Amino acid sequence: MMMQTPLVLTDMVKRAETYYAHKEIISRTSEKKVHRLTYGQWVKRTRKLAHALTKLGMERGDKIASFAWNQHRHLEAYFAVPCAGAILHMVNIRLSTEHIAYIINHAGDKIILIDEDLVPLIEEVQSELKTIEHYIIMADGELPETTLPNVLSYEALLEEADENFAFPEDLDENAPASMCYTSATTGNPKGVVYTHRSLVLHSMSISMVDTMAISERDTILPIVPMFHVNAWGMPFAAVNVGATQVLIGPQFTPALILDFIEQYNVTKTAGVPTIWLGALQEQEKRARDLSTLQEIFCGGSASPKGLIKKYEEMGVNYIVVYGMTETSPIVSMSRDMSHMNDWSLDEKIETRAMQGLTVPGIESSIVNENGEVPWNGETMGELRLRGPWIAAEYYKDERTAEAFSDGWLYTGDIAVRSKEGFIKITDRTKDLIKSGGEWISSVDLENALMSHEAVFEAAVIAIPHAKWQERPLACVVLKEGANTTKEELTAFLEGQFAKWWLPDDIVFLTEIPKTSVGKFLKAKLRESVNEIYPQLQL
Amino acid sequence: MMMQTPLVLTDMVKRAETYYAHKEIISRTSEKKVHRLTYGQWVKRTRKLAHALTKLGMERGDKIASFAWNQHRHLEAYFAVPCAGAILHMVNIRLSTEHIAYIINHAGDKIILIDEDLVPLIEEVQSELKTIEHYIIMADGELPETTLPNVLSYEALLEEADENFAFPEDLDENAPASMCYTSATTGNPKGVVYTHRSLVLHSMSISMVDTMAISERDTILPIVPMFHVNAWGMPFAAVNVGATQVLIGPQFTPALILDFIEQYNVTKTAGVPTIWLGALQEQEKRARDLSTLQEIFCGGSASPKGLIKKYEEMGVNYIVVYGMTETSPIVSMSRDMSHMNDWSLDEKIETRAMQGLTVPGIESSIVNENGEVPWNGETMGELRLRGPWIAAEYYKDERTAEAFSDGWLYTGDIAVRSKEGFIKITDRTKDLIKSGGEWISSVDLENALMSHEAVFEAAVIAIPHAKWQERPLACVVLKEGANTTKEELTAFLEGQFAKWWLPDDIVFLTEIPKTSVGKFLKAKLRESVNEIYPQLQL
């Protein structure tokens, strides 16, 4: 019948060195220096890294940690480690030190690759790390002084390694390739292990024209960090199709993002809504030439419709995507379908703001106690997912049973289905407000509030209520210099929602606490509000 | 780790009925009637067909033959048979009756689905068919009178079947799904068996933006027949992404093709060069509005540069694709790469006329006695291919050993590699002219001759030579009303080729014999030339 050639990442590296050796990777490192290297050079360095790690004792199935920004050395590790048969553990640098130590120990990482400016963070936890044998520092020049033991220089290791190092030819497509941990509501982060097969299929998927359409002709700028869910899979897909990559490095600002888009003729970029809100404000202050920019992919939390519209009016296609650590991550997106051609921009944006249609290969289902929800845009249920790039379990974690059953991943996201079949996330299971037996979506209220001209950010949480069990409380951060009142905002929400959905109270804060990836941290918000308004008894 | 959900065609059907139920399939049947049905209706009919065939005794692993044009019932069979766990054998209606009987017997087909107007062809061979138990005729109305035994009406069977018939949920992705036979130089055709996995991966591949980019927003018109290598995989990809499909039915003409493109707003179409040559002539006679047409995919034999240029000037992207029955078929294509942006149209067309870059997932290699050929556009070698949608063998056929070894498919195509890495097919192994130890490409000479304004078609074959072993002979068909001479054509070739490449003789014919798929039939051409010019002693 057909050849049993496996779906493995090594084929992507071979492809890049064969056909795309002339294409470029632009990389800003922790010393804030911009490097330009070709894919040809990058493949040689990637083979060298695999050789160097092998010489240090890396064996098949070993876990190797990375603790780094978006830069070319991190991209080398993305391929060198799995192509040698080991597993790259991308450690989220924004976790608490306690959790950083936990996940490195839990994964059992043998070697860690650290960005120069992040060394102090690892120094803080080093005494607690039980399995790390080598600390490799990625720096352009001299290594910094450090208290870390067994320190090696990334560049020195590469200098002594073989650029023709051959990857094993017998990798199984179901072998583990990389892993990420995702924050849990309570307790330690949970690990997800990706396989060669899942990463290859995800790469093919996001290069399909109806998904992220990543092409050899693109210059991609992932703002989403490479320490967070495979940077949405973009670095893998880019190597597979030979797209130019722009890796923005540490401590980037809205100004730097826009400068990079202008300077390197970026065509596609991706990140969370707060990034694009910030970029918009910066662009309004000082306009850059963004004429090459075709598409922004935005996920992580809901995108305000006003934000989508602003970018659309600038000629940039603003596409909402959806996924999570457990899903590689891209499982759905909000591209226009052909029957929407004649819709007005406002009608399109209604749909665009949703999380969209599941991509080919992924099956979705939204269920509540009555089974699958009807496609009415109203009935809420929990979103569950199935497919070849969806996790089947958490890595050595008893909490697997909480999220995986009957062959489905239960996402913990509450969603409705529009009449087009588009998924619209209305809440997290745990953030849903249950008022008198009915469900109120905190996300819908937040989005409505954020479309008010005076509001910068809004988060809605449940407050306890004697009669209705729970009632919504809105927490609002105003734009700089803007002014409004509780009464004005309530009036603004009236008419958009049923009366019983309206928040019982609106409080004004200077900021909403967020997770490491820019999502509202509602547990922490609850604490802050409690401090300021103890009478609410949260 | 990751879910082990298999890559199976049933998921495509589920996807089509879930998200694309409103999208359309336009189908012209053997009665030349145009049907319009929605994907929703089509899925119901597909489930009914699977049920009807199951009731007739179709079991997992059984082979079911189709003998049909491009129409909706054939598309129903494309999915109903494999999704029920059986294997659809697409019989090429243009084979000789001897070969038709051979392949049906060799596959051991249990049931055959026949287009109404093709019944006479099956009647001719019926007495030789050893395994067929049921003859099902696909007709819009009354069945034709026929000498076939055990005849059933497709539509009557569907009427009594269950539109909710459930496909098995335990299909293995490596289970066989469909099969095609490919003509051999000598002897009987050779069978290739596709799997669910290979068809799903091929569908994902041709929906990638750098390949055929098939999208929900497309209306696709495959001119390439559904009885020939999965119609280049387009029907599968179209169902997967919900593209509108236009199936053109029997005995189509250039005029009908253009009418269909205009009438149904076709965006992408695919077929062999002779189709697009004919369509161009028709368009020059009577211009249709082809403004919706974005891309023509052309393969099967070399495309003359003049033809590519004409379409490009009309605003239609003319993309050369390459593949064969053994490769599902799409393995390479000639899209512009980003560094060609500044090239002139003529420079681009030089590259466009090649078979292009291997698509992601497929590995190619061009080898001669010195190993891998250099990327110089000159050194010829045999093209070999490897990947998850490349066959590993011929079905129950000892000739497997001739084409498959060391994990590669040896294509029998002679190719060079351009400095971009683009594959350019210069000949079939068997058609190569070996003159004094050097290789002369018949295809290069043919393409050059066909770019002469008086030449409609040209084929170059080897004639025996006492000193040089072989020398090229050109066979030319002139355009209607055109006029030229042997001397003029030879002068035209001089300067384009080394002197020793020039044909020893040029003969004028009224037509070049072709295979069922429009390729030059050089063995037959040799016979014709021998009849007309016995002195050549071919």
Side-chain angles (χ1 to χ4, degrees):
Chain A
M1 287 193 282
M2 293 282 118
M3 289 184 184
Q4 285 297 315
T5 52
L7 305 171
V8 287
L9 295 176
T10 39
D11 283 343
M12 292 191 187
V13 176
K14 281 194 214 164
R15 182 169 182 82
E17 74 188 340
T18 306
Y19 297 117
Y20 308 125
H22 61 286
K23 297 293 303 278
E24 260 193 326
I25 295 159
I26 293 141
S27 164
R28 178 171 164 271
T29 53
S30 51
E31 285 95 312
K32 297 176 186 168
K33 186 179 152 194
V34 174
H35 298 244
R36 300 185 80 129
L37 65 168
T38 65
Y39 270 94
Q41 293 167 319
W42 171 81
V43 171
K44 284 179 183 158
R45 289 174 53 89
T46 299
R47 291 188 183 279
K48 281 180 167 202
L49 175 59
H51 185 218
L53 293 172
T54 302
K55 285 197 288 183
L56 284 177
M58 179 179 76
E59 292 178 8
R60 294 238 195 153
D62 277 350
K63 277 90 174 178
I64 308 298
S66 64
F67 198 76
W69 302 101
N70 293 9
Q71 39 92 348
H72 64 287
R73 297 183 184 103
H74 204 175
L75 187 66
E76 287 153 15
Y78 255 52
F79 284 85
V81 175
C83 290
I87 302 153
L88 182 72
H89 172 201
M90 296 154 268
V91 177
N92 186 338
I93 65 167
R94 295 198 182 122
L95 293 177
S96 65
T97 48
E98 183 198 338
H99 283 167
I100 290 174
Y102 168 80
I103 68 172
I104 292 175
N105 288 330
H106 186 261
D109 299 329
K110 198 170 179 179
I111 300 173
I112 185 167
L113 306 164
I114 314 164
D115 238 337
E116 197 213 19
D117 66 333
L118 300 174
V119 167
L121 277 173
I122 296 299
E123 285 173 341
E124 268 187 67
V125 300
Q126 188 273 323
S127 65
E128 288 164 52
L129 302 183
K130 297 176 186 137
T131 56
I132 299 286
E133 296 171 13
H134 301 282
Y135 295 82
I136 301 177
I137 299 180
M138 302 191 279
D140 291 341
E142 291 293 293
L143 295 197
E145 285 206 15
T146 172
T147 61
L148 293 177
N150 302 323
V151 162
L152 295 164
S153 154
Y154 185 97
E155 289 300 325
L157 286 171
L158 256 58
E159 254 175 48
E160 288 166 19
D162 181 3
E163 68 180 32
N164 295 312
F165 178 75
F167 296 123
E169 304 239 325
D170 60 344
L171 290 178
D172 187 292
E173 67 179 34
N174 290 308
S178 67
M179 63 190 301
C180 284
Y181 281 74
T182 180
S183 304
T185 316
T186 54
N188 285 315
K190 297 173 284 186
V192 173
V193 177
Y194 310 102
T195 61
H196 283 267
R197 172 181 163 108
S198 72
L199 292 171
V200 170
L201 290 173
H202 187 267
S203 300
M204 289 180 76
S205 171
I206 65 172
S207 296
M208 287 169 70
V209 65
D210 286 348
T211 60
M212 286 166 77
I214 294 175
S215 158
E216 189 274 329
R217 303 173 68 81
D218 277 320
T219 297
I220 62 153
L221 170 64
I223 302 299
V224 48
M226 289 173 73
F227 53 75
H228 182 62
V229 216
N230 307 311
W232 298 357
M234 294 176 89
F236 292 112
V239 169
N240 196 35
V241 302
T244 303
Q245 298 195 52
V246 183
L247 303 173
I248 200 164
Q251 292 120 27
F252 49 84
T253 58
L256 189 71
I257 293 171
L258 294 183
D259 289 344
F260 265 42
I261 292 173
E262 182 179 53
Q263 192 170 349
Y264 300 114
N265 301 315
V266 168
T267 58
K268 295 197 169 99
T269 181
V272 294
T274 45
I275 295 285
W276 307 120
L277 202 59
L280 185 67
Q281 288 171 342
E282 172 66 24
Q283 176 72 0
E284 281 168 355
K285 264 190 245 163
R286 183 160 69 79
R288 274 76 161 183
D289 175 4
L290 305 181
S291 58
T292 60
L293 185 63
Q294 297 160 6
E295 301 199 316
I296 288 174
F297 300 103
C298 187
S301 57
S303 286
K305 287 173 203 160
L307 183 66
I308 301 176
K309 191 167 182 177
K310 284 274 190 185
Y311 279 102
E312 290 292 329
E313 285 167 352
M314 286 162 61
V316 179
N317 215 1
Y318 185 108
I319 310 282
V320 168
V321 299
Y322 170 77
M324 50 208 296
T325 306
E326 293 85 339
T327 67
S328 294
I330 304 297
V331 287
S332 76
M333 45 205 309
S334 69
R335 275 193 191 281
D336 298 347
M337 292 178 78
S338 52
H339 69 279
M340 302 173 187
N341 282 348
D342 303 331
W343 290 14
S344 70
L345 180 58
D346 283 338
E347 284 173 310
K348 282 183 183 171
I349 285 173
E350 277 297 319
T351 310
R352 281 287 190 81
M354 299 180 189
Q355 280 63 36
L357 213 60
T358 328
V359 300
I362 298 295
E363 196 179 348
S364 62
S365 158
I366 303 175
V367 284
N368 62 21
E369 64 279 12
N370 302 317
E372 195 70 31
V373 302
W375 290 22
N376 58 11
E378 284 183 6
T379 311
M380 292 184 233
E382 182 172 2
L383 175 66
R384 48 185 201 167
L385 296 164
R386 183 155 66 187
W389 55 93
I390 309 285
E393 63 183 357
Y394 292 119
Y395 179 67
K396 295 186 182 169
D397 201 310
E398 286 180 358
R399 289 167 294 180
T400 289
E402 295 166 16
F404 301 92
S405 63
D406 327 321
W408 292 95
L409 162 67
Y410 284 78
T411 62
D413 278 334
I414 298 296
V416 299
R417 184 85 77 171
S418 81
K419 66 181 199 309
E420 325 295 334
F422 278 42
I423 294 164
K424 183 184 167 197
I425 305 293
T426 54
D427 230 318
R428 289 292 297 167
T429 322
K430 60 184 165 34
D431 294 335
L432 199 69
I433 298 148
K434 286 149 194 153
S435 171
E438 296 290 334
W439 290 1
I440 295 173
S441 160
S442 63
V443 175
D444 278 1
L445 289 171
E446 287 161 6
N447 288 341
L449 284 165
M450 286 193 280
S451 72
H452 187 279
E453 57 177 9
V455 176
F456 178 68
E457 282 180 337
V460 174
I461 54 178
I463 48 174
H465 192 281
K467 181 170 177 194
W468 304 112
Q469 291 86 49
E470 289 183 358
R471 291 292 304 151
L473 168 81
C475 307
V476 167
V477 179
L478 294 182
K479 286 184 186 158
E480 258 185 66
N483 215 344
T484 184
T485 62
K486 189 193 293 194
E487 290 68 29
E488 188 185 315
L489 288 177
T490 304
F492 179 73
L493 294 177
E494 276 174 10
Q496 295 189 61
F497 297 99
K499 208 168 166 56
W500 59 274
W501 272 55
L502 299 181
D504 276 16
D505 204 350
I506 298 178
V507 299
F508 294 91
L509 305 176
T510 52
E511 73 169 322
I512 311 269
K514 295 195 194 66
T515 68
S516 61
V517 297
K519 292 189 196 190
F520 292 150
L521 207 56
K522 294 206 173 170
K524 199 148 182 200
L525 173 63
R526 203 175 293 273
E527 286 169 29
S528 317
V529 174
N530 202 27
E531 270 172 40
I532 308 173
Y533 301 90
Q535 70 277 19
L536 293 171
Q537 300 191 318
L538 294 180
Chain B
M1 287 190 282
M2 292 283 120
M3 289 185 185
Q4 285 297 314
T5 51
L7 304 171
V8 287
L9 296 176
T10 39
D11 283 343
M12 293 192 187
V13 176
K14 280 194 216 165
R15 183 169 180 82
E17 73 189 342
T18 305
Y19 297 116
Y20 308 125
H22 61 286
K23 296 294 303 276
E24 260 194 326
I25 296 159
I26 293 143
S27 163
R28 178 171 164 271
T29 52
S30 51
E31 284 96 308
K32 297 174 188 171
K33 186 181 152 194
V34 173
H35 298 243
R36 299 186 81 129
L37 65 167
T38 64
Y39 270 95
Q41 293 168 320
W42 171 82
V43 172
K44 285 180 183 159
R45 288 174 54 88
T46 299
R47 291 189 183 277
K48 282 181 166 201
L49 176 59
H51 185 219
L53 293 172
T54 302
K55 285 197 287 184
L56 283 176
M58 178 179 77
E59 293 177 8
R60 295 237 194 154
D62 278 351
K63 278 90 175 178
I64 308 299
S66 65
F67 198 76
W69 302 101
N70 294 9
Q71 39 92 347
H72 64 287
R73 296 182 185 104
H74 204 175
L75 187 66
E76 286 152 16
Y78 255 53
F79 284 84
V81 174
C83 289
I87 302 153
L88 183 72
H89 171 200
M90 296 155 267
V91 177
N92 186 338
I93 66 167
R94 296 198 182 120
L95 293 178
S96 65
T97 48
E98 184 198 338
H99 283 166
I100 289 172
Y102 168 80
I103 68 173
I104 292 174
N105 289 331
H106 186 262
D109 299 328
K110 198 170 180 180
I111 300 174
I112 185 167
L113 306 165
I114 314 164
D115 238 337
E116 196 212 20
D117 67 332
L118 300 174
V119 167
L121 278 172
I122 295 299
E123 285 174 340
E124 267 187 67
V125 300
Q126 188 273 322
S127 65
E128 288 164 53
L129 302 183
K130 295 174 187 143
T131 55
I132 299 284
E133 295 171 13
H134 300 282
Y135 296 82
I136 300 177
I137 299 180
M138 301 190 280
D140 291 340
E142 289 294 293
L143 295 198
E145 285 208 14
T146 173
T147 61
L148 294 177
N150 302 326
V151 162
L152 295 163
S153 155
Y154 184 97
E155 290 298 327
L157 286 171
L158 256 56
E159 254 175 49
E160 288 167 17
D162 180 4
E163 69 180 29
N164 295 313
F165 178 76
F167 296 124
E169 305 239 324
D170 60 344
L171 291 177
D172 187 293
E173 68 179 34
N174 289 307
S178 67
M179 63 190 301
C180 284
Y181 281 74
T182 180
S183 304
T185 317
T186 54
N188 286 315
K190 298 172 285 188
V192 173
V193 178
Y194 310 102
T195 61
H196 283 266
R197 172 181 163 107
S198 72
L199 292 171
V200 170
L201 289 174
H202 187 267
S203 300
M204 287 180 79
S205 171
I206 65 173
S207 296
M208 286 168 71
V209 65
D210 286 348
T211 62
M212 287 166 77
I214 294 174
S215 158
E216 189 274 331
R217 302 173 68 82
D218 277 319
T219 298
I220 64 152
L221 170 65
I223 302 299
V224 48
M226 290 173 71
F227 52 75
H228 181 63
V229 217
N230 307 313
W232 296 358
M234 294 175 89
F236 291 111
V239 169
N240 196 34
V241 303
T244 303
Q245 298 196 54
V246 183
L247 303 173
I248 199 165
Q251 291 119 30
F252 49 84
T253 58
L256 189 71
I257 293 171
L258 294 182
D259 290 344
F260 265 43
I261 292 173
E262 182 179 54
Q263 192 169 348
Y264 301 114
N265 301 316
V266 169
T267 57
K268 295 198 169 97
T269 180
V272 295
T274 45
I275 295 285
W276 308 118
L277 203 57
L280 185 66
Q281 289 171 342
E282 172 66 24
Q283 175 72 359
E284 281 167 356
K285 263 191 245 163
R286 182 161 69 80
R288 274 74 161 185
D289 175 4
L290 305 182
S291 56
T292 60
L293 186 63
Q294 297 161 6
E295 302 200 315
I296 289 175
F297 299 103
C298 186
S301 57
S303 286
K305 287 172 203 160
L307 183 65
I308 300 175
K309 191 168 182 175
K310 284 273 190 187
Y311 280 102
E312 291 291 330
E313 286 167 351
M314 286 161 61
V316 179
N317 214 1
Y318 185 108
I319 310 283
V320 168
V321 299
Y322 170 76
M324 50 206 297
T325 306
E326 292 86 339
T327 67
S328 296
I330 303 299
V331 286
S332 76
M333 44 204 310
S334 69
R335 275 193 192 280
D336 298 347
M337 291 178 79
S338 52
H339 67 280
M340 303 172 186
N341 282 348
D342 304 330
W343 290 13
S344 71
L345 180 58
D346 283 338
E347 284 173 310
K348 283 183 182 170
I349 285 172
E350 277 298 320
T351 310
R352 280 287 189 83
M354 300 180 190
Q355 280 63 38
L357 213 61
T358 328
V359 300
I362 298 295
E363 195 178 351
S364 62
S365 158
I366 303 176
V367 285
N368 63 20
E369 64 279 14
N370 302 317
E372 195 70 31
V373 302
W375 289 23
N376 59 11
E378 282 183 6
T379 312
M380 292 185 233
E382 183 171 1
L383 175 64
R384 51 184 198 166
L385 296 166
R386 183 154 68 186
W389 54 93
I390 310 285
E393 63 183 358
Y394 292 119
Y395 179 68
K396 293 184 183 173
D397 200 310
E398 287 179 358
R399 290 169 292 179
T400 289
E402 294 166 17
F404 301 92
S405 63
D406 327 321
W408 291 95
L409 161 68
Y410 285 78
T411 62
D413 278 333
I414 298 297
V416 299
R417 185 84 77 170
S418 80
K419 67 179 199 309
E420 326 294 336
F422 277 43
I423 294 163
K424 184 184 167 198
I425 305 293
T426 55
D427 230 321
R428 290 289 299 165
T429 322
K430 61 184 167 31
D431 294 335
L432 200 68
I433 298 147
K434 286 149 195 153
S435 172
E438 296 289 338
W439 290 2
I440 296 174
S441 161
S442 63
V443 175
D444 278 0
L445 289 171
E446 287 161 5
N447 288 342
L449 283 166
M450 286 193 280
S451 72
H452 187 279
E453 56 176 9
V455 176
F456 179 68
E457 281 180 338
V460 173
I461 54 178
I463 49 174
H465 191 281
K467 182 171 175 194
W468 303 112
Q469 292 86 49
E470 289 182 359
R471 291 292 304 149
L473 169 80
C475 307
V476 167
V477 179
L478 294 181
K479 285 184 185 157
E480 259 186 65
N483 214 345
T484 185
T485 63
K486 190 194 296 193
E487 291 69 27
E488 189 185 314
L489 287 178
T490 303
F492 179 74
L493 293 177
E494 276 173 8
Q496 295 189 61
F497 297 98
K499 209 167 163 56
W500 58 274
W501 272 54
L502 299 182
D504 276 17
D505 205 350
I506 297 178
V507 300
F508 294 91
L509 304 176
T510 52
E511 73 169 321
I512 312 270
K514 293 193 196 67
T515 68
S516 60
V517 295
K519 293 188 195 192
F520 292 150
L521 209 56
K522 293 207 173 168
K524 200 150 184 197
L525 173 63
R526 205 174 292 273
E527 284 170 29
S528 318
V529 174
N530 202 25
E531 269 174 40
I532 308 171
Y533 301 91
Q535 70 277 19
L536 292 172
Q537 300 190 319
L538 296 180

